[in-house]
Amino acid sequence: MTETTILASYGLLIMITILLQVLGGAQQLSIGYLLSSRDETRTLKGMTARLKRALDNSIVAMTLFAPAILILVTLDRTSPSTCLLYTSPSPRDRG
């Protein structure tokens, strides 16, 4: 798995999280509130609130590792040893 594949997969995961959050928010909040200026604050509950926190964390994580991946790709320095998920083989895999 290459670094760009990991980055694209993570972006897809964030888009799915956004979709699930929107669907959950639409169920919890009325359509009138969603179409209004939303001057009054309403809080989300349950799984929708958890998805909002997960989305916030995911965006922060993306800003931390996406630049590193893009720099590696731009400089054409990608290899199995630069992959962020690369780990050395465990002793049981060495034979």
Side-chain angles (χ1 to χ4, degrees):
M1 186 178 280
T2 65
E3 293 90 349
T4 52
T5 305
I6 294 168
L7 185 61
S9 300
Y10 197 65
L12 180 62
L13 178 65
I14 288 176
M15 289 190 298
I16 291 170
T17 305
I18 290 170
L19 177 65
L20 291 173
Q21 182 190 9
V22 167
L23 293 174
Q27 287 180 346
Q28 287 186 18
L29 305 171
S30 67
I31 192 71
Y33 176 76
L34 293 174
L35 295 176
S36 71
S37 63
R38 290 181 241 164
D39 291 332
E40 66 179 73
T41 303
R42 293 190 186 174
T43 57
L44 299 171
K45 300 174 187 144
M47 182 59 77
T48 306
R50 175 65 188 110
L51 285 169
K52 180 181 181 336
R53 292 189 305 272
L55 179 63
D56 293 342
N57 292 338
S58 296
I59 291 171
V60 169
M62 175 82 82
T63 61
L64 293 175
F65 79 85
I69 291 174
L70 295 175
I71 289 170
L72 286 172
V73 170
T74 302
L75 297 176
D76 197 27
R77 303 278 178 133
T78 59
S79 70
S81 64
T82 61
C83 185
L84 298 176
L85 294 180
Y86 176 78
T87 58
S88 59
S90 69
R92 67 173 180 211
D93 293 335
R94 292 185 186 143

